[in-house]
């Protein structure tokens, strides 16, 4: 297992490449997330944003390149993959809760199996995190009885219960009814304020502008532009970023042909 100095970024992505068959989806991505930073990844559909996140926590095996989390190279073939993936929490668009388990059991099952916590400790950690996201009163119910926003908050609490060093969010509000989006973004803002290191794929430009320290604009499997959130979103330098943002910020806008 290779290590780097303690001053290293929380997440370091170096030359990450990934293909699916003949389709080259990530063409050598370099990116860093400093400890406590929120980095938002924006870009058009199919640009490789989800694949990037899935490679960071090794849900997909990159073809080439490195992912280093707090000094531990997750892509090192000799690394303990389960221990490595535990460092990285992930929240998905579709919540991915176990439908046959109560909210509490959703939060405790991995703590008990993977972290070997006893029932009392796992329950205590679960309740602490359910409190944090505002759904502790739902501990005994099944996911189907919850709104999408509540399910997503449970999914966030579940990820937090594993004590991740970094949280990845893959379009966490895209599957929600519009009136529930704000609740989940509010929870994410709170986590950011508390200093959680976060890498977030999102189409929520207001969230990115207000909460992110840095924004990466991806297109065609490369990072086209990156910089402080306010600059990339309000004053993009690259023509492709400008075109994308015009479409996202004003869906009625038509580019001249
Ligand atoms: N498991 C897979 N097998 C084959 N192709 C895949 C797989 N996962 C992703 N792709 C393809 O890789 C490309 C990038 O997909 P990805 O989901 O990373 O894009 P994205 O930028 O997150 O898009 P969106 O905003 O629509 O979610 C797409 O063409 C997609 O069809």
């Amino acid at each position: 297992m290779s290590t780097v100095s303690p001053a290293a970024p929380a997440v370091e992505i170096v030359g990450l490449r990934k293909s699916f068959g003949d389709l080259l989806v990530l063409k050598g991505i370099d990116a860093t997330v400093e400890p406590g930073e929120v980095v938002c990844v924006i870009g058009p559909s199919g640009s490789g944003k989800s694949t990037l996140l899935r490679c960071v926590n090794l849900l997909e095996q990159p073809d080439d390149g490195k992912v280093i989390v707090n000094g531990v190279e997750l892509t090192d073939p000799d690394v303990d993959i389960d221990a490595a993936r535990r460092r990285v929490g992930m929240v998905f668009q579709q919540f991915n809760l176990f439908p046959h388990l109560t909210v509490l059991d959703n939060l405790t099952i991995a703590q008990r199996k993977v972290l070997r916590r006893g029932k009392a400790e796992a329950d205590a950690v679960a309740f602490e995190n359910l409190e944090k996201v505002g759904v502790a009163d739902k501990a005994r119910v099944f996911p189907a009885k919850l709104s999408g926003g509540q399910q997503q908050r449970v999914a966030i609490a579940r990820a937090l219960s594993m004590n991740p060093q970094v949280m990845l969010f893959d379009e966490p509000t895209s599957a929600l009814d519009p009136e529930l989006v704000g609740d989940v973004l509010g929870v994410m803002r709170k986590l950011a304020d508390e200093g959680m290191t976060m890498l977030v794929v999102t189409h929520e430009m207001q969230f990115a502008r207000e909460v992110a320290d840095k924004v990466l604009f991806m297109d065609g499997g490369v990072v086209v532009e990156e910089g402080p959130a306010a600059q990339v979103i309000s004053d993009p330098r690259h023509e492709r970023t400008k075109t994308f943002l015009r479409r996202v910020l004003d869906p009625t806008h038509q580019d001249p042909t």
Side-chain angles (χ1 to χ4, degrees):
M1 187 184 301
S2 51
T3 57
V4 293
S5 77
V11 182
E12 200 171 1
I13 298 164
V14 186
L16 206 66
R17 295 172 70 83
K18 176 69 185 174
S19 299
F20 295 107
D22 292 340
L23 183 66
L24 181 55
V25 175
L26 300 180
K27 301 176 181 171
I29 302 285
D30 296 312
T32 56
V33 188
E34 301 296 336
E37 236 184 11
V38 177
V39 174
C40 283
V41 183
I42 62 171
S45 182
S47 56
K49 306 179 300 294
S50 294
T51 304
L52 174 64
L53 283 202
R54 293 172 67 82
C55 283
V56 169
N57 79 348
L58 304 184
L59 278 175
E60 298 286 356
Q61 189 63 42
D63 300 331
D64 200 8
K66 290 182 182 178
V67 174
I68 303 163
V69 174
N70 285 340
V72 176
E73 188 193 328
L74 273 52
T75 38
D76 182 337
D78 297 328
V79 87
D80 173 348
I81 185 112
D82 294 329
R85 289 192 57 209
R86 239 175 273 152
R87 299 169 160 257
V88 183
M90 183 136 172
V91 173
F92 300 86
Q93 188 176 340
Q94 297 293 347
F95 328 133
N96 292 14
L97 298 175
F98 297 116
H100 60 291
L101 296 180
T102 64
V103 163
L104 183 63
D105 289 344
N106 263 280
L107 265 72
T108 56
I109 189 166
Q111 290 189 63
R112 300 200 62 190
K113 282 194 174 158
V114 179
L115 301 182
R116 306 253 167 241
R117 286 179 180 152
K119 180 172 167 27
E121 186 188 2
D123 283 0
V125 171
F127 274 105
E128 187 185 316
N129 285 301
L130 288 171
E131 290 280 355
K132 181 178 275 195
V133 303
V135 286
D137 58 328
K138 306 296 182 195
R140 310 285 173 193
V141 305
F142 288 89
K145 297 281 180 208
L146 302 178
S147 72
Q150 289 168 332
Q151 290 190 55
Q152 194 58 299
R153 284 188 275 159
V154 169
I156 293 171
R158 180 174 63 176
L160 292 173
S161 296
M162 301 300 283
N163 293 111
Q165 297 173 341
V166 176
M167 285 280 282
L168 309 180
F169 292 85
D170 190 2
E171 298 193 29
T173 58
S174 295
L176 300 179
D177 291 337
E179 71 273 19
L180 302 176
V181 168
D183 290 351
V184 170
L185 293 180
V187 168
M188 292 169 65
R189 272 173 198 263
K190 189 167 145 200
L191 290 181
D193 289 345
E194 289 172 357
M196 175 60 74
T197 305
M198 294 163 51
L199 183 58
V200 183
V201 171
T202 186
H203 293 292
E204 295 291 336
M205 294 303 141
Q206 193 182 346
F207 175 85
R209 187 163 24 206
E210 292 173 4
V211 180
D213 298 286
K214 199 163 68 186
V215 167
L216 306 186
F217 171 67
M218 276 183 72
D219 197 5
V222 297
V223 176
V224 173
E225 179 165 352
E226 73 171 277
Q231 183 254 298
V232 174
I233 294 175
S234 304
D235 184 21
R237 305 284 148 91
H238 201 289
E239 221 31 67
R240 282 153 79 182
T241 323
K242 289 180 190 172
T243 304
F244 169 74
L245 286 167
R246 272 199 297 268
R247 289 201 182 116
V248 172
L249 298 173
D250 177 11
T252 60
H253 175 87
Q254 302 223 313
D255 291 311
T257 48

